[in-house]
Amino acid sequence: MRTTIGYTLESIGYVVGAQGLVGFASQTFFGTEWGWLHKVVDLPPTAYLGIVAAGLALVIVGVRTRRTPRRQETA
């Protein structure tokens, strides 16, 4: 179960982080809006950096959650 939860959190983190990065880059460098996040909320470019940080945090939690459990010693 831990493995499934870890992979799920990690996958969600990659998507959230990518959307934050795309949203920040598109508004900052091109003056347009890319991705799907701008269709849900209207955020300033700096808020997208917070979304990138949230995505990175989800990836880190997912990786730590899915680590292989310790081996049980058999006699």
Side-chain angles (χ1 to χ4, degrees):
M1 185 69 168
R2 286 179 53 180
T3 303
T4 304
I5 292 171
Y7 281 120
T8 302
L9 285 176
E10 187 177 356
S11 299
I12 292 170
Y14 283 126
V15 171
V16 169
Q19 287 298 314
L21 188 61
V22 166
F24 174 75
S26 68
Q27 284 188 359
T28 303
F29 300 115
F30 302 104
T32 61
E33 294 184 354
W34 300 339
W36 54 264
L37 197 55
H38 73 277
K39 296 180 181 185
V40 180
V41 293
D42 187 25
L43 298 173
T46 53
Y48 282 106
L49 292 177
I51 293 172
V52 171
L56 182 61
L58 284 172
V59 169
I60 291 170
V61 169
V63 168
R64 287 190 178 172
T65 302
R66 72 173 169 90
R67 284 193 177 161
T68 56
R70 296 181 183 162
R71 289 187 180 184
Q72 294 179 350
E73 295 182 22
T74 56

